[in-house]
Every structure is written in structure tokens, then in C-alpha cells.
Amino acid sequence: MDGFIFNIQRYSIDDGPGIRTTVFVKGCAMRCPWCSNPESISAEPQLLHRFTTCTKCGDCAPACDKGAITFTPETGPVFDRELCDVCGKCAWECINQAIKISGESMSIEKVWKTIKKDMVYYEESGGGVTCSGGEILMQPEFVNELFKKCRENGVHTCADTAGFGSAEALDLVLEYADLVYFDIKWLDPVRHEELTGVPLEPVVRNFKTICERGIPIVVRIPLIPDFDDNSDNLAAIAKFVKENAPGADVHIMPYHRYGESKYESLGIEYPLKGLRENTPEDLERARKIFEAEGVSVEVK
């Protein structure tokens, strides 16, 4: 069983309890404009070029059989992504690792070799393994097998999902999941589809399924100015959580621009360029809305 992976992050402290290894799978049906991992959206391999580490040496251009790279000392390499077949030859020639191919098919055993390096940290911190994305419900068989391997070796598992996927995919992911991190963006069907490009119904259905099965869940709400920080939306989410997952931890995730440079690396214009970050007043307003519904929240 292979998964298509774009990153394995060791010593992660933000993706579940304790010290964790987070395995990021590639591919997502949602098209959230604030996504901080744009390289996770496509299920295909992609070329990333980091301008900040490129020394404009020019070694990449002659390595490209397709003629997809033009080079001048002034501009450095310019990539024609229509011609590029993502063969990786330019990345092999880049001694500064400014060029990278995002996306690699990896077996369970290959991923496990990385995971088991940090077993002592999991044991001492109450940590484990988190599968994130992208959207893990797009690779449910791989997540199921990886979580099974973790369960057999006493490693805690956390499924990080935005909830868009089939009921069958969810069943596979949940079979060996000890904890679920679940993102909620909007609870108005029209606005949800406008923002994410996908319908809301599967997200609501999958959230309720997790709650009905009694699997611990942490609700995470990205707070994006002018997008989903609407007071009515936040109140609706608070009521929904209270009704379906009373007592669940709720995390408000403030907007940040950490992923902006990744868009540039992919040759894509950042869709939220110039958007302001949350003010302390924004975060306090959101907190009060949840608390007014009897739901305690933590701002992350």
C-alpha cells in the first residue's frame, strides 16, 4: 500500500497531543483561498522553486530535456510549467536545493522507517502520529494501513481532516484513529461552496458520524478576515458543536501568511495578497461568541 506524500514533519507540536510525526498526504478537493499548503491541493507531483535560496547559477536549465527552463543571470531560471513534465532532473542538478519536486509515492514501510525514529519522544510526551494534508479522505486506504501499523506498535494516531469525503472513506480512516482534528469553515451551504468549491453536506454528515462513534474530536476553526469571521457563522458553528460534540475542545486558528511564499514557488499568485491579519479585537469577539453559546475555545 503506497501513499502519495508531500512532507513528513518530525517533532511536530501543533498537530495533536505531545511530540508527533505528521505525515502530509497530497490531494484535496477543497479550494480554500487561505490554504497555507498550496502544494497539497493537486494530487499530482509539482515543481517548487524557492527564489530565496536560488543562487542563479544556471545549472538547472541545460538539465531540462523539454526546454521548459529559460535562464539569464538577471532573472535566474524561469519555468514554463506548461512544458514541464516534472521529471526532477533540474532538482537533481540544484546543489542549493532551491528546486524541489513536491509529491512522492511512499510505501507504509518507508513512512514507518521515519516514524519509528522518534518512538521515545512519543512515549515520553504522550505524542504519536498525525495524518494531515491535503485531505486524508482522498487516500483512505493508505491512512487506514498506516494507522493500523501505528496501533500494532502502540503509537497514538490523529486524523486531521476537513471532512469532505465519502462515508466509506471515513470508515477506513476512523478504524484505527484515536483522535480526530476536524476543520469547520462555514455552516451555510451556499457560502461554504462559494469558499471551498465543494458542498457542505458530506462535511456535516462526517462530523456527526465521528461524534456518534464517540471518537475524541478537536474542532478547529480558521478565522479568516472578511471570509469566515462573520458573527452569525461563528454562532452557528458554536451551536452545531454544542449540539453534536458537547465538551469537545475548540481551537480558533488565526489567519497567517506563512504559506504565501509557497504560492510563489509554485508559480501561482497568492489569492489573499494584502489581506489583513486578525486583530486582538477580532479574536476576542470570536471567543465571546463561542462562550455566549456555552462553548469554551482556545485561540491558537
Side-chain angles (χ1 to χ4, degrees):
M1 173 61 61
D2 287 357
F4 201 56
I5 310 300
F6 73 92
N7 188 26
I8 300 178
Q9 181 177 315
R10 297 172 61 191
Y11 211 87
S12 174
I13 57 174
D14 295 319
D15 297 320
I19 297 170
R20 313 188 69 80
T21 297
T22 303
V23 179
F24 291 90
V25 302
K26 208 169 184 320
C28 183
M30 290 189 177
R31 295 297 183 267
C32 307
W34 55 83
C35 181
S36 59
N37 286 327
E39 76 276 32
S40 75
I41 298 172
S42 171
E44 302 296 326
Q46 292 171 286
L47 182 145
L48 290 88
H49 174 233
R50 296 185 179 91
F51 295 86
T52 54
T53 54
C54 178
T55 60
K56 300 180 181 179
C57 67
D59 290 346
C60 54
C64 181
D65 297 334
K66 299 292 183 179
I69 305 174
T70 56
F71 175 83
T72 68
E74 293 74 29
T75 64
V78 177
F79 298 87
D80 185 332
R81 294 175 185 270
E82 294 290 327
L83 290 177
C84 176
D85 62 0
V86 202
C87 69
K89 291 180 180 177
C90 59
W92 299 337
E93 294 295 331
C94 183
I95 61 173
N96 294 300
Q97 298 184 330
I99 302 173
K100 177 184 176 183
I101 303 302
S102 176
E104 177 185 355
S105 183
M106 300 180 71
S107 68
I108 294 292
E109 288 305 319
K110 186 172 182 179
V111 175
W112 181 251
K113 284 181 181 179
T114 299
I115 289 172
K116 70 180 182 180
K117 293 176 182 178
D118 294 329
M119 293 288 282
V120 65
Y121 295 116
Y122 312 147
E123 294 166 0
E124 293 181 356
S125 70
V129 170
T130 297
C131 261
S132 186
E135 174 51 65
I136 61 175
L137 295 180
M138 291 187 70
Q139 298 190 46
E141 294 87 358
F142 172 79
V143 176
N144 176 278
E145 288 295 324
L146 181 61
F147 279 1
K148 181 181 179 182
K149 182 78 170 178
C150 292
R151 180 73 61 85
E152 291 170 348
N153 288 273
V155 176
H156 181 273
T157 58
C158 176
D160 184 3
T161 178
F164 185 78
S166 68
E168 294 76 16
L170 184 68
D171 285 341
L172 284 169
V173 165
L174 294 184
E175 184 174 3
Y176 300 106
D178 297 311
L179 172 68
V180 177
Y181 269 30
F182 199 106
D183 283 14
I184 299 180
K185 295 120 173 40
W186 264 86
L187 282 181
D188 174 79
V190 174
R191 185 61 173 152
H192 186 277
E193 191 155 357
E194 286 176 352
L195 287 177
T196 68
V198 300
L200 175 64
E201 187 277 329
V203 176
V204 171
R205 179 200 66 219
N206 287 337
F207 185 89
K208 290 182 177 180
T209 296
I210 295 165
C211 297
E212 289 165 359
R213 294 187 185 180
I215 300 172
I217 190 169
V218 174
V219 182
R220 303 204 297 181
I221 301 144
L223 195 67
I224 315 300
D226 305 326
F227 281 84
D228 70 342
D229 63 343
N230 175 280
S231 295
D232 291 340
N233 179 51
L234 295 177
I237 293 174
K239 292 175 182 177
F240 178 75
V241 172
K242 184 178 181 180
E243 177 182 348
N244 292 282
D249 290 337
V250 179
H251 297 167
I252 290 177
M253 316 297 290
Y255 168 66
H256 59 73
R257 299 192 183 94
Y258 300 156
E260 186 169 358
S261 63
K262 295 182 180 181
Y263 286 84
E264 185 180 27
S265 297
L266 288 167
I268 302 171
E269 184 177 352
Y270 184 56
L272 300 186
K273 202 165 188 67
L275 182 67
R276 67 177 180 86
E277 295 187 348
N278 306 104
T279 66
E281 291 76 18
D282 291 336
L283 302 177
E284 181 64 11
R285 175 177 59 85
R287 184 184 65 79
K288 287 182 176 179
I289 289 171
F290 276 85
E291 291 183 349
E293 298 294 338
V295 178
S296 61
V297 297
E298 183 178 354
V299 176
K300 288 296 197 177

